[in-house]
Amino acid sequence: MNPRLLSLYAGVSYLLIFFAAIFANFLVLDAIQNEPLITIQQNPLMVRFGIIAFLITVVFDVVVAWALYELYKDHIISGLSTLFRMMHAAIMGVAIFALVNSLSLTTGHEILQQAETFTTIWLIGLFFFGIHLILLGRIIKKPKAIAIFLMIAGAMYMIDTGAHFLLSNYNAYASIFLGLVAIPSIIGEMSLAAWLLVEGGKNSEKSSTQ
């Protein structure tokens, strides 16, 4: 397939993931965690839209994995990078089931448990996503700044997941870890999305016409 078209697919999919994840995570999941019973009983439609938004992130995660593989399939570790991203997407798909379960529960404690189950499974998926980002940074190489931020973000995802399971007082450092993950991730992945939309695949097209 045309490299430029593949880059556009990947870039647009990244943007859809970004906006769907903001809504699902910061509006819906946060609401469930802060006021579980009220959110489920008074705003069930919002929760259902949040579930759909998470499903959208999974669908377009697979599209990104496919497009990036096609773009860089000549690289020796491209297949491995794709598999780790697919693992993340599959685990995320399983995690969503916990949010679906929460819709039928009638106590705040039970709902909160389902939200925690979702988060725990998601964190496991993010560990593998971190490996994907590290490998992706090694694969793309240029633009170098984006590659570096992707690798840093990948390492931070892995460290954050490890900290969740290793530190009994993780909540005391949660805001620090959030910053360590969010800053390189947003810069790296959004810069990659912008580069794919504006420049991705153009050099390959030029090479093929020469």
Side-chain angles (χ1 to χ4, degrees), residues 29 51 54-55 58 87-102 113-126:
L29 186 60
I51 290 169
F54 275 125
L55 287 173
V58 172
M87 286 176 67
H88 162 257
I91 292 170
M92 183 65 177
V94 172
I96 294 170
F97 182 72
L99 295 183
V100 176
N101 259 357
S102 68
Q113 278 188 323
Q114 290 299 313
E116 289 174 355
T117 298
F118 168 83
T119 301
T120 300
I121 299 172
W122 186 15
L123 282 169
I124 294 170
L126 288 176

Side-chain angles (χ1 to χ4, degrees), residues 78-144:
S78 181
L80 184 62
S81 173
T82 301
L83 287 174
F84 277 115
R85 186 163 195 139
M86 293 293 287
M87 286 176 67
H88 162 257
I91 292 170
M92 183 65 177
V94 172
I96 294 170
F97 182 72
L99 295 183
V100 176
N101 259 357
S102 68
L103 289 167
S104 61
L105 300 176
T106 55
T107 70
H109 177 69
E110 289 177 317
I111 295 166
L112 194 57
Q113 278 188 323
Q114 290 299 313
E116 289 174 355
T117 298
F118 168 83
T119 301
T120 300
I121 299 172
W122 186 15
L123 282 169
I124 294 170
L126 288 176
F127 186 87
F128 299 116
F129 183 69
I131 298 174
H132 159 73
L133 289 182
I134 292 172
L135 295 176
L136 183 60
R138 295 283 296 172
I139 290 167
I140 67 171
K141 293 183 180 178
K142 293 181 180 181
K144 189 173 182 180

Side-chain angles (χ1 to χ4, degrees), residues 35-206:
E35 296 181 315
L37 191 58
I38 293 174
T39 301
I40 294 296
Q41 291 185 343
Q42 297 184 7
N43 297 296
L45 187 60
M46 183 185 74
V47 176
R48 293 179 189 277
F49 275 119
I51 290 169
I52 296 299
F54 275 125
L55 287 173
I56 288 171
T57 68
V58 172
V59 170
F60 286 100
D61 223 20
V62 174
V63 175
V64 171
W66 161 74
L68 291 177
Y69 172 75
E70 288 294 326
L71 279 169
Y72 300 106
K73 60 185 175 183
D74 291 337
H75 197 288
I76 191 171
I77 60 173
S78 181
L80 184 62
S81 173
T82 301
L83 287 174
F84 277 115
R85 186 163 195 139
M86 293 293 287
M87 286 176 67
H88 162 257
I91 292 170
M92 183 65 177
V94 172
I96 294 170
F97 182 72
L99 295 183
V100 176
N101 259 357
S102 68
L103 289 167
S104 61
L105 300 176
T106 55
T107 70
H109 177 69
E110 289 177 317
I111 295 166
L112 194 57
Q113 278 188 323
Q114 290 299 313
E116 289 174 355
T117 298
F118 168 83
T119 301
T120 300
I121 299 172
W122 186 15
L123 282 169
I124 294 170
L126 288 176
F127 186 87
F128 299 116
F129 183 69
I131 298 174
H132 159 73
L133 289 182
I134 292 172
L135 295 176
L136 183 60
R138 295 283 296 172
I139 290 167
I140 67 171
K141 293 183 180 178
K142 293 181 180 181
K144 189 173 182 180
I146 294 177
I148 291 172
F149 272 107
L150 288 176
M151 289 189 284
I152 294 172
M156 289 301 104
Y157 274 121
M158 296 174 71
I159 291 170
D160 182 55
T161 296
H164 266 90
F165 300 137
L166 292 174
L167 299 178
S168 59
N169 61 338
Y170 174 86
N171 288 337
Y173 307 98
S175 59
I176 297 174
F177 280 108
L178 178 61
L180 290 173
V181 172
I183 293 172
S185 176
I186 292 173
I187 294 174
E189 293 190 80
M190 285 300 97
S191 296
L192 176 61
W195 181 81
L196 287 166
L197 289 170
V198 177
E199 294 292 334
K202 288 184 177 178
N203 289 337
S204 298
E205 283 188 337
K206 289 177 183 178

